[in-house]
């Protein structure tokens, strides 16, 4: 009866396939070998956890197909360079809200300006060389505060949220809130020229004119470490967002890598002939771009410390910045050039170019927006660079549209999972790897920590015996006996080992002979 | 095509719809004089002026470019009304979530610390007995009911209200053992007065007297009682192991194997005809109810006090021994226990398995309770209070959540089986958070910082010093043995493992 009903078969059985490259995007590490069968419990655990991670990877890849936004782009006509397209053309072509992201602030009085965008990309902080500090919500153009600190301003930086920012002034480092109220003057940090904020560690790293690299834990307000780099004035600084390592550029052409855990640089790279002018590191921690006084722009693979590309820029780049999707902006004089994919095939032309009104002092890509902020002598220009920003943000990490309540919640969570500065290292995933250190290595470490060897064989001291048995001759004899015994142990062990090897060898030879004996049927005719 | 952008909300939506369908704004602009380059425009104008007569179309400079700039509609990212929950768009791209491992490690560390902060296992103390509590019984059908027998009488408890429901004078002298019938309607008690009594579970009505349903007068003192899982048969032990039919007043079978006293007897929960008992000649004896003689016995170095079958792997049982250890045996291979559980610093008096069969709890004369995973040599948890004296009896509740301990100083204590667990209903998000932190703790459990915190327990000073002393003694013995072996003829001093050390012999 039931067979008579025609049954439709599913033309696409099973779940929909997920493209391989999407899956690879979510891959963590490489699969190791399964433990051997006798260790069945461990084997079972490994199999289960790998299955779980495969499932998670697949689900992530599936979810990736549903992301709402696509990245921006700019394509010219055939035989038209995109670098000739002006900002006005782009603004004419796009919708009004996107067009409003191209604007200039004329602030000719206190310039040139340094700038910083907050982690969500909503807020902009400007610091003029001659003391003008202002912060604003740049999308709604709402001013949060504006003041003049009546002192030279070397650098400005947002801290973890838009509530606090740090200003490196002529002498000390100051912390202000977004109303412009001075919260702290940190006198331990003097003559700061450049600052970097490590958001997951809550560390503010500062580089000073006196050659000190200092780390300030902003969650507790304590200085973590002050490192004397012995490399003179430090005015080139960048941080690797992948592993929180600070890159410093020096006047002798070297770039050095630093963590708060080590007094010496982790790595010292000679990048340029002549001083280094600017350094930038990409989001994945793979590439470092440097520009130097030799007018070169170089791209390095900082996992292998290998140069990838070297470009010659006629005027040399004074400021560099990398966007979330890997666009590079380089400022030469008053011209800002944006390059695309500098680490791939060698590029010959910039992707975009724009002439600012004054000489450029700072460039910064806005996170999650197709916007490049340019601080220059005549104020600030926000230019539209299609394809710069990550289109889909993660609401639990950096949400530009978060409410006050969401921000508070995020702040508490972020503070709870603040990573300790001791965990900064070249490989951030090292903590999840199996510690393969040998017993010898661990023993050496233990000896170093304790200051003595707990397993060391104590020196034999003969016990004091009475009735004339502790005469110096007897004592010496006993000592000899013990030493002799130890030596005999060693000899016994070596003899045993040798016998074992000999036995094995003989067995092998026997087997070989037996195998050779079977080899040929004609062997019996051999004499 | 070109979008005409408006500022009003309705226009906004239309715009984004168009954008979503097309993904790009395609611009085709026709102009004679491109404005962006004045020099070119100048040349063009001259050209145009000179070649006016030519076809106009050839001079049209077509400028076509494709551009798309990120422009999000805030309506897609913020909640519509205040009554909605906030929108949280996710992007799981690993490059947007750097420091995955250090952050997880920090979370695991925090979870471990919080676990220790919230580890408050003690729930309640049920007091009311006027003498030390000697035995307890779980109700097979009701989670909230529990029975306890003291050195003078006995009590039925209601656990949810933590109050005594019923008191009855069952025996003269100690109540040695009690068990609830599998149907839950009646229970049996044995006491020092050489009687077995059966009682109704229901409270007698007004004016009725508290009378046992049945009373059997035995020849000797009974020390323990257990009931069959399915049939009206129960077993008692004292001078011998007796199997009784509920309908008869004399045992249907008696077992003895050259000993004069048994301390505990238990039915196997799965293979229901099998029994195991602990005897005072340091042996554990196994019986089959259908046979006339016992099956086999293992003799150990010291006497076992009680034993408990694993309810899930019913061929395993664990016995609590006088030598401070517990031993888990496989009943098929009695020649050595497959795990020795150490940690107590005095005789272990009682043991009970969790209903999942993965863990068991032990009560000891050293005034502590310890929880052991079934295949681990050391305990994962230790409970103690200042006022708890020698713990005589212990039970793990049938819902796997609570532990009941009865001790010398007339109290029954209620503990959580998982010290830091939150009681009561959990919201789904709360449950997810608990599971997540549990998984993280597991993932990083071997990191020294986390292991140190998760293993930290406060111990009373006496127990701490005793365990240290025991460790020193053990190490000294081990050292001595090693030295003796070193200086004797090779092979004459075989290495005896810890498991083999405690078994004297197996008799069949």
């Amino acid at each position: 009866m039931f067979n008579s009903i025609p049954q439709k078969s599913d033309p696409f059985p099973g779940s929909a396939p997920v493209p391989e490259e999407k899956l690879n995007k979510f891959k963590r590490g490489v699969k190791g070998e399964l433990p051997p069968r006798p260790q069945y419990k461990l084997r079972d655990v490994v199999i289960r956890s790998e299955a779980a991670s495969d499932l998670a990877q697949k689900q992530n890849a599936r979810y990736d197909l549903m992301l709402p936004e696509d990245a921006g782009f700019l394509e010219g006509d055939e035989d038209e360079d995109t670098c000739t397209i002006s900002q006005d053309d782009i603004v004419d072509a796009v919708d009004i809200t996107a067009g409003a992201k191209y604007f200039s602030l004329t602030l000719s009085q206190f310039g040139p300006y340094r700038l910083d965008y907050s982690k969500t990309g909503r807020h902009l902080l400007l610091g003029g060389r001659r003391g003008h500090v202002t912060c604003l919500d740049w999308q709604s153009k709402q001013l949060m505060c504006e003041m003049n600190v009546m002192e030279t301003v070397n650098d400005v930086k947002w801290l973890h949220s838009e509530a606090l920012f740090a200003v490196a002034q002529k002498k000390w480092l100051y912390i202000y809130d977004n109303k412009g109220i001075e919260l702290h003057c940190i006198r331990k940090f003097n003559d700061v020229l450049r600052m970097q904020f490590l958001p997951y560690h809550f560390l503010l790293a500062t580089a000073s004119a006196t050659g000190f690299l200092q780390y300030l834990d902003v969650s507790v307000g304590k200085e973590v470490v002050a490192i004397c780099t012995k490399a003179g004035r430090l005015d080139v600084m960048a941080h690797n967002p992948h592993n929180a390592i600070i890159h410093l550029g020096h006047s002798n052409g070297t770039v050095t890598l630093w963590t708060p855990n080590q007094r010496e640089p982790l790595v010292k790279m000679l990048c340029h002939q002549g001083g280094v002018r600017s350094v930038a590191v990409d989001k994945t921690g793979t590439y470092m771009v440097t520009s130097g006084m030799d007018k070169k722009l170089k791209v390095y693979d900082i996992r292998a410390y290998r140069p990838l590309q070297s470009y010659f820029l006629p005027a040399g780049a004074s400021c560099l910045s990398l966007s979330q999707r890997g666009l590079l902006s380089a400022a030469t004089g008053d011209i800002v050039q944006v390059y695309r994919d500098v680490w791939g095939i060698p590029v010959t032309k910039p992707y975009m170019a724009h002439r600012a009104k004054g000489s450029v002092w700072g460039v910064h890509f806005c996170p999650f927006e197709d916007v490049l902020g340019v601080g220059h002598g005549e104020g600030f220009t926000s230019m539209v660079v299609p394809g710069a920003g990550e289109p889909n943000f993660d609401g639990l990490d950096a949400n530009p549209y978060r409410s006050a309540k969401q921000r508070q919640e995020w702040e508490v969570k972020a503070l709870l999972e603040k990573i300790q500065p001791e965990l900064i290292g070249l490989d951030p995933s090292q903590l999840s790897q199996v510690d393969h250190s040998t017993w010898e290595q661990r023993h050496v470490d233990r000896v170093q920590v304790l200051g003595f060897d707990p397993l060391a064989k104590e020196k034999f001291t003969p016990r004091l015996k009475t009735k004339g048995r502790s005469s110096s001759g007897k004592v010496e004899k006993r000592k000899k006996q013990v030493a002799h015994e130890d030596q005999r142990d060693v000899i016994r062990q070596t003899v045993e080992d040798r016998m074992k090897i000999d036995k094995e060898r003989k067995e092998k030879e026997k087997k070989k002979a037996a195998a050779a004996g079977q080899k040929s049927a004609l062997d019996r005719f051999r004499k | 095509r070109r979008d005409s952008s408006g500022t009003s909300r309705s226009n906004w939506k239309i715009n984004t719809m168009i954008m979503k369908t097309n993904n790009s704004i395609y611009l085709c602009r026709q102009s004679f004089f491109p404005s962006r380059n004045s020099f070119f425009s100048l040349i063009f104008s001259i050209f145009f002026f000179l070649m006016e007569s030519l076809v106009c179309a050839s001079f049209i400079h077509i400028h076509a470019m494709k551009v798309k700039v990120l422009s999000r509609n805030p309506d897609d990212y913020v909640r519509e009304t205040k009554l909605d929950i906030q929108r949280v768009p996710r992007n799981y791209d690993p490059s947007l979530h750097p420091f995955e491992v250090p952050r997880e490690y920090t979370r695991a560390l925090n979870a471990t610390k919080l676990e220790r902060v919230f580890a408050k296992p003690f729930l309640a103390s049920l007091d009311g007995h006027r003498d030390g509590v000697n035995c307890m019984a779980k109700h097979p059908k009701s989670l909230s009911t529990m029975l306890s027998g003291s050195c003078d009488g006995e009590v039925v408890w209601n656990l949810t209200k933590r109050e005594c429901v019923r008191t009855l004078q069952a025996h003269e002298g100690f109540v040695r053992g009690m068990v609830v019938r599998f149907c839950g309607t009646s229970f049996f008690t044995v006491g020092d007065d050489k009687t077995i009594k059966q009682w109704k579970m229901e409270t007698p009505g007004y004016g009725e007297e508290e009378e046992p349903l049945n009373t059997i007068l035995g020849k000797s003192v009974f020390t323990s009682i257990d009931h069959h899982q399915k049939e009206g048969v129960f077993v008692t032990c004292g001078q011998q192991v007796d199997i009784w039919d509920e309908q008869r007043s004399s045992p249907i079978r008696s077992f003895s194997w050259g000993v004069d006293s048994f301390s505990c007897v238990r039915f196997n929960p799965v293979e229901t005809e099998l029994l195991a008992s602990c005897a005072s000649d340091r042996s554990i004896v196994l019986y089959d109810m259908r046979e006339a003689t016992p099956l086999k016995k293992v003799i150990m170095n010291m006497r076992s006090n009680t034993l408990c079958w694993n309810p899930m792997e019913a061929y395993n049982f664990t016995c609590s021994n006088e030598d401070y250890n517990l031993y888990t045996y496989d009943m098929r291979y009695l020649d050595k226990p497959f795990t020795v559980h150490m940690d107590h610093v005095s005789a272990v008096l009682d043991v009970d398995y969790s209903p999942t069969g993965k863990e068991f709890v032990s009560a000891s004369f050293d005034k502590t309770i310890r929880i052991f995973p079934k295949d681990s040599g050391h305990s994962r948890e230790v409970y103690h209070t200042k006022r708890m004296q020698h713990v005589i009896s212990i039970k793990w509740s049938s819902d796997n959540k609570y532990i009941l301990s009865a001790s010398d100083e007339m109290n029954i204590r209620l503990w959580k089986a998982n010290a830091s667990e939150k009681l009561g209903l959990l919201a789904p998000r709360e449950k997810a958070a608990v599971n997540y932190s549990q998984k993280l703790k597991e993932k990083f459990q071997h990191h020294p910082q986390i292991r140190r915190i998760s293993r930290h327990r406060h111990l009373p000073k006496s127990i701490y010093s005793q365990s240290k002393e025991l460790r020193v003694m053990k190490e000294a013995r081990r050292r001595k043995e090693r030295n003796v072996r070193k200086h004797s003829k090779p092979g004459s001093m075989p290495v005896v493992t810890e498991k083999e050390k405690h078994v004297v012999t197996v008799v069949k």
Side-chain angles (χ1 to χ4, degrees), chain B residues 146-164:
Chain B
M146 192 269 296
L147 285 76
S148 65
S150 75
C151 298
D152 58 351
E154 73 181 291
V155 175
V156 181
W157 291 93
N158 183 335
L159 288 181
T160 44
K161 288 183 184 164
R162 292 168 194 173
E163 63 184 15
C164 170

Side-chain angles (χ1 to χ4, degrees), chain A residues 174-192:
Chain A
Y174 289 81
I175 306 247
Y176 296 92
D177 76 350
N178 59 5
K179 300 271 184 303
I181 297 163
E182 180 188 319
L183 298 179
H184 303 286
C185 166
I186 303 162
R187 297 223 167 77
K188 267 195 168 173
F189 289 66
N190 56 320
D191 305 312
V192 175

Side-chain angles (χ1 to χ4, degrees), chain A residues 428-432, chain B residues 98-106 443-444:
Chain A
S429 64
Q430 202 179 17
L431 212 53
S432 68
Chain B
F99 306 107
E100 205 169 38
V101 177
R103 282 163 80 191
E104 273 188 351
Y105 173 76
T106 314
K443 184 175 173 182
F444 292 97

